[in-house]
């Protein structure tokens, strides 16, 4: 189902005209409404009248996480605080959290984006949507909640923290849609299988985000729960979930270009790359009032596909993320993304996608250990069998990332099953002074 055909399916020329008009307006908005942006633009000799359309986008300076940190908490706002009705924030696991401010219009636009995304997954006002993202400062819970309500669906604001109760609510209330992280949904699947209750669920689809995941994990979720799984993308500082989502064809995530102008740059030089090139995704907010960000560097590595999708939508598609420019690991000179490890593990029968990588440096040489959970049916005291499984994992990882890793098999549920963003890597090397 297409929620807003006039926008989602508009021709590219009309879209470019709309984007140019909105870019001119938003640049003027931040220039006169935010001292920090005004100073950044003046430093490069730029005034709002220098921006005539999207062809001038590269003239504008980038915005980075460091800018948000330097202006914490409210220095990036472009309207008075009295016009803001919501504050959202990242987890702030390192340093100060990223703060985002929303006006009432911003909340409406956010809800519209999520409604479009959910409709893409086939959600209607006949559905019962169980939201198991975290509520509170994290954008997942409230973002999914408001979008589902805008569609007219019945929302179960489950939140996180009690898998047993969630399963009871899922089954008893006959929820047809679940919104949560993909790793947590696999944990739910494991619990349902352990209880022999998979056949009792009424789910038709899941909308999963808040952490990177592979197409292999999507296929595993769909197979184990007999549902369709959809990827949803967002950033606290841009607009939470609902910036982009994939459709039934799973050939990339449609980004709502009437609100978010995407581009791809060389992460090393900042150079804007030609259409179809792989690089770092940069997003400009075109309609946000409270805290619009101009050319925000997401650090997500991808490419954009602009051909019209088979689903009928004309807006660009973000291809599945290869990783992030700031979480890529260089181990013994080899570039390694955690997503590669996840994809490799999904090809090994007998282990789960739950893993934890530890990178260290011993005697001036990098080492990599990967702890992997073994499935219940394969876990035993037979050391020979476990050794064979370990060698399978080792070989699969070597094929995927080109490195030999030490494999540590752990018992089922031996690793943390996060209901928020799962941490998969510990880099113990002291690479920087």
């Amino acid at each position: 189902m297409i929620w807003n055909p006039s926008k989602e399916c508009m021709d590219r020329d009309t879209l470019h005209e709309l984007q140019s008009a909105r870019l001119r307006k938003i640049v003027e908005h931040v220039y006169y409404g935010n001292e920090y942006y005004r100073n950044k633009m003046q430093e490069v000799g730029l005034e709002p009248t220098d921006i005539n359309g999207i062809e001038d986008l590269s003239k504008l300076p980038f915005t980075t996480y460091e800018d948000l940190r330097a202006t914490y908490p409210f220095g990036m706002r472009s309207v008075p605080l009295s016009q803001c009705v919501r504050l959202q924030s990242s987890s702030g696991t390192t340093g100060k959290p990223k703060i985002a401010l929303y006006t009432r219009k911003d909340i409406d636009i956010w809800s519209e984006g999520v409604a479009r995304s959910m409709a893409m997954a086939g959600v209607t006002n006949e559905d019962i949507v169980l939201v198991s993202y975290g509520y509170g400062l994290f954008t997942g819970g409230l973002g999914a909640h408001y979008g589902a309500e805008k569609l007219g669906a019945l929302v179960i604001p489950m939140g996180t923290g009690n898998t047993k109760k969630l399963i009871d609510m899922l089954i008893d209330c006959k929820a047809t849609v679940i919104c949560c992280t993909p790793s947590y949904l696999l944990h739910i699947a494991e619990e349902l299988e352990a209880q022999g209750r998979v056949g009792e669920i009424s789910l038709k689809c899941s909308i999963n985000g808040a952490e990177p995941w592979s197409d292999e994990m999507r296929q595993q979720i769909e197979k184990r729960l007999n549902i369709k799984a959809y990827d949803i993308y967002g950033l606290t500082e841009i607009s939470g979930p609902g910036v982009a989502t994939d459709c039934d064809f799973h050939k990339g995530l449609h980004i709502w270009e009437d609100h978010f102008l995407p581009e791809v740059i060389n992460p090393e030089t900042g150079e804007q790359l030609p259409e179809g090139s792989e690089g770092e995704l940069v997003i400009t907010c075109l309609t946000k009032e409270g805290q619009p960000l101009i050319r925000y560097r997401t650090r997500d590595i991808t490419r954009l596909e602009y051909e019209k999708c088979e689903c009928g939508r004309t807006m660009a598609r973000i291809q599945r993320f290869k990783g992030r420019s700031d979480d890529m690991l260089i181990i013994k000179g080899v570039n390694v993304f955690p997503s590669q490890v996840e994809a490799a593990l999904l090809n090994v029968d007998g282990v789960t996608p739950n893993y934890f990588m530890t990178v260290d440096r011993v005697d001036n040489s990098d080492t990599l250990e990967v702890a992997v959970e073994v499935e219940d049916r394969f876990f035993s005291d037979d050391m020979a069998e476990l050794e064979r499984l370990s060698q399978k994992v080792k070989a699969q990882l070597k094929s995927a990332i080109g490195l030999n890793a030490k494999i540590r098999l752990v018992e089922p549920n031996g690793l943390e099953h996060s209901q928020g963003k799962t941490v998969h890597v510990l880099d113990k090397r002291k690479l920087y002074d």
Side-chain angles (χ1 to χ4, degrees), residues 404-418:
N404 284 311
K406 178 182 178 181
I407 307 301
R408 180 166 61 89
L409 301 180
V410 301
E411 64 185 16
N413 298 314
L415 296 175
E416 178 184 359
H417 292 261
S418 175

Side-chain angles (χ1 to χ4, degrees), residues 98-117:
K98 289 174 282 190
I99 295 290
L101 295 168
Y102 295 76
T103 65
R104 290 190 185 279
K105 179 183 175 184
D106 295 336
I107 297 294
D108 289 341
I109 290 172
W110 184 10
S111 302
E112 162 74 13
V114 179
R116 291 184 191 180
S117 299

Side-chain angles (χ1 to χ4, degrees), residues 348-368:
V348 181
D349 188 33
V351 299
T352 78
N354 297 309
Y355 69 96
F356 190 84
M357 301 168 57
T358 302
V359 186
D360 205 348
R361 182 161 289 172
V362 179
D363 296 328
N364 297 315
S365 179
D366 291 343
T367 63
L368 171 62

